mmCIF file of all heavy atoms in Angstrom:
data_model
loop_
_atom_site.group_PDB
_atom_site.id
_atom_site.type_symbol
_atom_site.label_atom_id
_atom_site.label_comp_id
_atom_site.label_asym_id
_atom_site.label_seq_id
_atom_site.Cartn_x
_atom_site.Cartn_y
_atom_site.Cartn_z
ATOM 1 N N ASP A 144 -7.976 12.168 -14.341
ATOM 2 C CA ASP A 144 -8.684 12.152 -15.601
ATOM 3 C C ASP A 144 -10.183 11.995 -15.256
ATOM 4 O O ASP A 144 -11.011 12.495 -15.954
ATOM 5 C CB ASP A 144 -8.257 11.003 -16.496
ATOM 6 C CG ASP A 144 -6.717 11.131 -16.853
ATOM 7 O OD1 ASP A 144 -6.494 11.944 -17.788
ATOM 8 O OD2 ASP A 144 -5.887 10.476 -16.218
ATOM 9 N N LYS A 145 -10.428 11.207 -14.226
ATOM 10 C CA LYS A 145 -11.798 10.971 -13.810
ATOM 11 C C LYS A 145 -11.917 11.110 -12.330
ATOM 12 O O LYS A 145 -10.934 10.629 -11.590
ATOM 13 C CB LYS A 145 -12.267 9.468 -14.136
ATOM 14 C CG LYS A 145 -12.393 9.229 -15.609
ATOM 15 C CD LYS A 145 -12.876 7.813 -15.868
ATOM 16 C CE LYS A 145 -12.875 7.581 -17.380
ATOM 17 N NZ LYS A 145 -13.019 6.163 -17.638
ATOM 18 N N ALA A 146 -12.970 11.668 -11.729
ATOM 19 C CA ALA A 146 -13.114 11.735 -10.303
ATOM 20 C C ALA A 146 -14.498 11.244 -10.012
ATOM 21 O O ALA A 146 -15.535 11.508 -10.757
ATOM 22 C CB ALA A 146 -12.968 13.182 -9.791
ATOM 23 N N PHE A 147 -14.638 10.442 -8.943
ATOM 24 C CA PHE A 147 -15.856 9.791 -8.598
ATOM 25 C C PHE A 147 -16.541 10.252 -7.364
ATOM 26 O O PHE A 147 -15.873 10.285 -6.329
ATOM 27 C CB PHE A 147 -15.500 8.225 -8.412
ATOM 28 C CG PHE A 147 -14.985 7.670 -9.732
ATOM 29 C CD1 PHE A 147 -13.608 7.843 -10.076
ATOM 30 C CD2 PHE A 147 -15.694 6.842 -10.566
ATOM 31 C CE1 PHE A 147 -13.127 7.301 -11.167
ATOM 32 C CE2 PHE A 147 -15.181 6.335 -11.763
ATOM 33 C CZ PHE A 147 -13.852 6.567 -12.076
ATOM 34 N N PHE A 148 -17.840 10.486 -7.433
ATOM 35 C CA PHE A 148 -18.562 11.084 -6.323
ATOM 36 C C PHE A 148 -19.897 10.344 -6.269
ATOM 37 O O PHE A 148 -20.555 10.035 -7.274
ATOM 38 C CB PHE A 148 -18.891 12.584 -6.520
ATOM 39 C CG PHE A 148 -17.608 13.364 -6.491
ATOM 40 C CD1 PHE A 148 -16.862 13.604 -7.700
ATOM 41 C CD2 PHE A 148 -17.097 13.904 -5.379
ATOM 42 C CE1 PHE A 148 -15.696 14.385 -7.688
ATOM 43 C CE2 PHE A 148 -15.925 14.673 -5.390
ATOM 44 C CZ PHE A 148 -15.204 14.893 -6.502
ATOM 45 N N GLY A 149 -20.423 10.223 -5.054
ATOM 46 C CA GLY A 149 -21.715 9.484 -4.844
ATOM 47 C C GLY A 149 -22.903 10.342 -5.065
ATOM 48 O O GLY A 149 -22.912 11.500 -4.740
ATOM 49 N N GLU A 150 -23.935 9.721 -5.584
ATOM 50 C CA GLU A 150 -25.177 10.589 -5.858
ATOM 51 C C GLU A 150 -25.932 10.840 -4.590
ATOM 52 O O GLU A 150 -26.909 11.537 -4.577
ATOM 53 C CB GLU A 150 -26.098 9.808 -6.849
ATOM 54 C CG GLU A 150 -25.507 9.882 -8.250
ATOM 55 C CD GLU A 150 -26.480 9.249 -9.290
ATOM 56 O OE1 GLU A 150 -27.472 8.526 -8.882
ATOM 57 O OE2 GLU A 150 -26.265 9.464 -10.520
ATOM 58 N N LYS A 151 -25.467 10.222 -3.432
ATOM 59 C CA LYS A 151 -26.234 10.512 -2.218
ATOM 60 C C LYS A 151 -26.124 12.028 -1.919
ATOM 61 O O LYS A 151 -27.067 12.703 -1.522
ATOM 62 C CB LYS A 151 -25.633 9.749 -1.047
ATOM 63 C CG LYS A 151 -26.482 10.033 0.264
ATOM 64 C CD LYS A 151 -26.018 9.280 1.418
ATOM 65 C CE LYS A 151 -24.768 9.915 2.069
ATOM 66 N NZ LYS A 151 -25.044 11.121 2.782
ATOM 67 N N ASP A 152 -24.906 12.593 -2.191
ATOM 68 C CA ASP A 152 -24.683 14.015 -2.059
ATOM 69 C C ASP A 152 -24.860 14.644 -3.447
ATOM 70 O O ASP A 152 -23.949 15.139 -4.028
ATOM 71 C CB ASP A 152 -23.305 14.328 -1.513
ATOM 72 C CG ASP A 152 -23.096 13.724 -0.082
ATOM 73 O OD1 ASP A 152 -23.783 14.225 0.781
ATOM 74 O OD2 ASP A 152 -22.290 12.818 0.032
ATOM 75 N N PHE A 153 -26.092 14.563 -3.905
ATOM 76 C CA PHE A 153 -26.314 14.927 -5.284
ATOM 77 C C PHE A 153 -26.046 16.389 -5.572
ATOM 78 O O PHE A 153 -25.486 16.750 -6.612
ATOM 79 C CB PHE A 153 -27.809 14.645 -5.695
ATOM 80 C CG PHE A 153 -28.083 14.676 -7.182
ATOM 81 C CD1 PHE A 153 -27.662 13.625 -8.055
ATOM 82 C CD2 PHE A 153 -28.569 15.851 -7.800
ATOM 83 C CE1 PHE A 153 -27.782 13.753 -9.392
ATOM 84 C CE2 PHE A 153 -28.763 15.909 -9.205
ATOM 85 C CZ PHE A 153 -28.434 14.909 -9.960
ATOM 86 N N GLN A 154 -26.361 17.203 -4.626
ATOM 87 C CA GLN A 154 -26.124 18.730 -4.763
ATOM 88 C C GLN A 154 -24.575 18.919 -4.851
ATOM 89 O O GLN A 154 -24.100 19.748 -5.715
ATOM 90 C CB GLN A 154 -26.715 19.449 -3.619
ATOM 91 C CG GLN A 154 -26.676 20.915 -3.795
ATOM 92 C CD GLN A 154 -27.514 21.735 -2.735
ATOM 93 O OE1 GLN A 154 -28.071 21.070 -1.757
ATOM 94 N NE2 GLN A 154 -27.621 23.034 -2.917
#
Side-chain angles (χ1 to χ4, degrees):
D144 298 279
K145 293 180 184 169
F147 299 78
F148 296 87
E150 287 185 346
K151 184 178 81 71
D152 296 296
F153 191 80
Q154 186 169 9

